[in-house]
Amino acid sequence: MTPRRNALTPESLAMMDTIARTGSFAAAARELGKVPSALTYSVRQLEDALDVLLFDRRSRQARLTAAGEELLAEGRRLLAEMDAVANRVRRVACGWETQLTIAADGLVSRLTLLELCEAFYGLRPDGLEGGPGTRLRLRTEVLNGTWEALVTGQADLAIGVPMDAATSAGIDVRPLGEVNFVFAVAPHHPLAQVAEPLDDADIVRHRAIAVADSAQRLAPLTVNLLPGQDVLTVPSMQAKIEAQLRGLGCGFVPEPLVRDHLRLGRLVPREVRRQRQKGRFAYAWRSAALGSPRKAPQGLALRWWLEQLESPATRAALMDRFPAGAVPSAVD
């Protein structure tokens, strides 16, 4: 370790902060419980180690040089980071994860999800300043991508996985809710004028709008596409709805996300001969190491989120609560 690095101790940085804050060596010495000469000696040692002048000796006040200002600013940042590290270490020791990653399907209400984040950040665990301190990371996935993020370890909690997703050892799955899907087109789309109910022969002649499955390793899901049908593939449900509003194609869309568009006539629901679509979704988390019969220790942050998901009202809001005229956009 270099002499310069040895000189930059938490004590020396705190000393600089105290001198700058109090405005004089004498006031800083009183606050630190030192005699002024000892404080002056400590400052000279720091200046010698860094080979710079930190204070303008021509002034009776403790006036910082440009180098001193830089050291003060960076020193305050380093002290804050040291405190943050110490707090995070203590939180981890108390059972709070350093980071919790949540993968949510594009159908999940971001309004409700962010309100849950707000409640989480407002927690005040006993003895821990500034809340739990767990860093939350939200990911937007589609279809099998939500499940893949969980089983590959990229997420700790998956919200909105297909209810019929393949089970895996060490994964707990609970029902989240159902979403009604409606076949809809723009008012100027040709299918808006075809007699109902529409059959597959009517639909296959028109382009479908499909959302790409975000899975990279698992087999992607294909839903409600007819053999030989032209397809425009888009990256999100938001893009799918926008495409259908423009008349670029047709397809099934989640009723809660297009409720306002249907009410205002921007989209027209059409009865189809095939069975009415309903999606069943779940939430899942890793509960044990793969191949191990023992339960993995569950962090307090994940435990809190699972407790919220036990509420029927919360689950319903995640599936059905969207601002008027809005559809969820990507978070990550």
Side-chain angles (χ1 to χ4, degrees):
M1 188 178 292
T2 65
R4 290 180 180 179
R5 189 184 301 181
N6 283 331
L8 293 176
T9 64
E11 291 76 16
S12 65
L13 296 176
M15 174 187 69
M16 289 288 297
D17 179 69
T18 304
I19 295 172
R21 182 166 43 79
T22 58
S24 71
F25 281 74
R30 285 194 298 272
E31 184 170 317
L32 294 172
K34 295 183 177 182
V35 296
S37 59
L39 191 62
T40 301
Y41 177 73
S42 295
V43 171
R44 289 193 181 279
Q45 280 190 311
L46 181 59
E47 290 177 323
D48 290 343
L50 299 178
D51 194 23
V52 296
L53 285 176
L54 299 175
F55 290 93
D56 187 349
R57 298 299 195 276
R58 295 170 300 178
S59 172
R60 293 187 178 182
Q61 300 297 317
R63 182 173 298 171
L64 291 164
T65 63
E69 291 280 3
E70 180 67 15
L71 179 60
L72 177 65
E74 288 299 308
R76 284 172 172 170
R77 181 183 62 81
L78 288 172
L79 289 172
E81 288 187 359
M82 289 178 187
D83 289 340
V85 168
N87 287 333
R88 285 200 295 271
V89 168
R90 183 163 177 241
R91 289 182 178 103
V92 170
C94 293
W96 292 94
E97 301 93 313
T98 301
Q99 177 172 294
L100 186 75
T101 301
I102 301 170
D105 187 90
L107 297 177
V108 172
S109 165
R110 266 38 187 182
L111 175 63
T112 304
L113 196 59
L114 291 175
E115 286 179 350
L116 288 169
C117 291
E118 184 179 13
F120 178 81
Y121 287 133
L123 293 175
R124 293 293 179 267
D126 292 342
L128 293 179
E129 297 181 2
T134 300
R135 296 168 177 169
L136 296 180
R137 185 184 180 201
L138 305 181
R139 296 171 55 115
T140 295
E141 302 290 346
V142 179
L143 296 171
N144 254 355
T146 313
W147 179 258
E148 181 182 270
L150 180 68
V151 299
T152 58
Q154 299 177 68
D156 305 293
L157 174 64
I159 303 177
V161 298
M163 193 64 194
D164 56 356
T167 58
S168 180
I171 302 291
D172 278 350
V173 180
R174 297 288 185 275
L176 180 63
E178 295 182 340
V179 175
N180 286 321
F181 282 74
V182 59
F183 190 89
V185 295
H188 57 281
H189 190 278
L191 285 177
Q193 311 304 323
V194 176
E196 300 174 291
L198 306 179
D199 58 28
D200 289 352
D202 297 318
I203 297 171
V204 74
R205 293 196 292 267
H206 299 275
R207 184 184 306 109
I209 309 297
V211 181
D213 194 318
S214 60
Q216 300 296 314
R217 302 179 187 177
L218 300 180
L221 293 179
T222 301
V223 182
N224 293 321
L225 296 181
L226 298 173
Q229 188 177 19
D230 183 23
V231 181
L232 169 61
T233 303
V234 295
S236 67
M237 184 57 69
Q238 179 183 25
K240 174 180 170 69
I241 294 172
E242 289 292 338
Q244 292 186 210
L245 285 167
R246 293 172 181 270
L248 296 178
C250 60
F252 288 92
V253 286
E255 187 276 333
L257 274 69
V258 297
R259 192 173 291 154
D260 197 50
H261 293 310
L262 294 171
R263 180 178 60 84
L264 296 175
R266 298 169 185 155
L267 286 175
V268 179
R270 304 296 286 161
E271 289 294 329
V272 294
R273 198 173 297 279
R274 69 171 67 181
Q275 187 176 1
R276 187 177 180 86
Q277 302 297 306
K278 181 173 286 192
R280 299 173 63 242
F281 297 92
Y283 63 97
W285 68 97
R286 286 178 283 126
S287 58
L290 295 182
S292 170
R294 296 193 311 163
K295 289 284 185 180
Q298 193 177 96
L300 295 178
L302 176 59
R303 188 181 304 174
W304 183 88
W305 279 85
L306 293 176
E307 288 173 354
Q308 309 314 303
L309 289 168
E310 289 176 0
S311 165
T314 298
R315 296 196 302 270
L318 285 166
M319 290 282 90
D320 194 62
R321 186 163 170 260
F322 299 93
V327 295
S329 58
V331 176
D332 180 25

